Amino acid sequence: MKRERADRPVAQSGRKLGPRALKTRERILRATSELLAERSVLDLPVVDIARRAGTSPATFYHYFKDVDELALALAERASEEMPDVAAWIRASMGGPDGLERARALVDAFLEHWDRHHAILTLRNMAADRGDSRFLRIRQENIGPVLSALASEIKRGQREQRISKEIHPFAAAAALASFLERLSAHHRDLGALGATREDIRETCARILVQTLEGSAPA
Amino acid sequence: MKRERADRPVAQSGRKLGPRALKTRERILRATSELLAERSVLDLPVVDIARRAGTSPATFYHYFKDVDELALALAERASEEMPDVAAWIRASMGGPDGLERARALVDAFLEHWDRHHAILTLRNMAADRGDSRFLRIRQENIGPVLSALASEIKRGQREQRISKEIHPFAAAAALASFLERLSAHHRDLGALGATREDIRETCARILVQTLEGSAPA
DNA sequence: TGTACATCAGTGAACGCGCGTTCACTGATGTAC
DNA sequence: TGTACATCAGTGAACGCGCGTTCACTGATGTAC
């Protein structure tokens, strides 16, 4: 597979791109983002992308092998903007301002999803489907978060705050799961009377309680 | 939309089905389940379903309007087998055998997903995509679980075990999210050294801790 | 400053595949007498 | 028990749409002298 770096895009022919070409490529990426936000992830034909970008299908193929590759480029770009949640976690949720740090963390997660909802959904669907390229991106994004969470659990276990019966990575996966899912779907919870703030607060508290072994003060 | 009951299937023409026809219909449903388990949810052409069922595309259309409707029938069937998790939750997780009840609950959830993994994934994807028919089924399935969880949280808040800052439905959604996600993906966690038992135990403990406000004994 | 040429960038139009869907028909099963 | 007829169940073959993809070409931009 031709590995594509965001800062060094290349035409399908392998030639480097001039400034005009870069702009066109950018228009195609942007058009795809827009379409993605407007309709289903499964309904993304080359023709429509090209039309939206004000160009032709033939041009599309100068820049991308197929729609998947384009989606991959978008997913990589979105993933790069993922906040460094792992660092926050390592800063620990204990002590008096632990809850405040947890809130900031959840908030960053929510915001990241708000900004890239469509493409992150696509990335996860493709990964669930088993596509190794999207799995890799997802793994690079979530992996460090899982590790950081698991480390905190282990620390809690050493310090006797958390039961040894809990499996650090299973717990980490559980926490990451609901963080991600609620971030992706927090709007739907409005129907149940939960605002974005409610979700942030609730997630932060469950997070602290699980990592610390007891509810925050 | 023609509402279809599992016990009273009807041909597209509206006629009732004889025993021979019922068998054919059943073969088509089964063939679809098999294909679903073998390949991506997005790759399910009528021709392949018919071939696998040992019949022809034309026959397919005697029984179903399109693949979506067929998937809907499968999803309804799978949903009917959902264990009554809500009842378990209302039985409470408190007291000495609360943890044991939580384990049983998580186990039932895991088993349900093991049995119907492919079609439940399809159901959730279709619901996420915004398809109202699949949303309805999903809602009928998860709704009672959410309500039961939220009620327990509220009870905990009345009894001062749980902070008022937590939003009952947000917390319920968080718990249901990770239960569902880990049930769907528990095999992938093997790579991180977590067995099915680890996952069951860990989920059960997080569940109890969140609903009770403190870790189980 | 102008001209010739090379390369870059873009595209209209067509081709063809896969697949959903339907039509006109055949064969199987049941029922009346 | 046999025959005629109605209805049920199933299908081969074709049609046509949507879409991915490519080809042969045009226009734009840069460079050499």
Side-chain angles (χ1 to χ4, degrees), chain B residues 49-142:
Chain B
I49 294 173
R51 192 160 30 224
R52 168 72 67 119
T55 179
S56 74
T59 301
F60 176 95
Y61 288 98
H62 278 329
Y63 298 103
F64 303 98
K65 194 170 138 289
D66 51 32
V67 177
D68 262 24
E69 195 125 315
L70 165 53
L72 204 63
L74 281 174
E76 262 169 353
R77 193 174 282 196
S79 295
E80 279 165 16
E81 290 186 27
M82 167 89 165
D84 193 356
V85 171
W88 258 306
I89 295 165
R90 280 190 297 272
S92 161
M93 309 275 137
D97 52 348
L99 182 59
E100 192 50 50
R101 275 200 295 273
R103 284 190 193 113
L105 182 162
V106 175
D107 209 49
F109 222 86
L110 280 163
E111 207 181 321
H112 183 238
W113 271 86
D114 281 345
R115 217 198 304 280
H116 304 291
H117 187 271
I119 186 65
L120 291 177
T121 302
L122 185 155
R123 179 198 73 184
N124 284 357
M125 275 176 141
D128 285 351
R129 211 180 59 214
D131 185 309
S132 62
R133 301 166 301 174
F134 289 93
L135 268 170
R136 179 183 55 76
I137 300 185
R138 183 169 201 283
Q139 176 54 28
E140 285 174 12
N141 240 233
I142 305 291

Side-chain angles (χ1 to χ4, degrees), chain A residues 15 18 24 55 58-59 62-63:
Chain A
R15 257 208 293 265
T24 306
T55 180
T59 301
H62 278 330
Y63 299 103

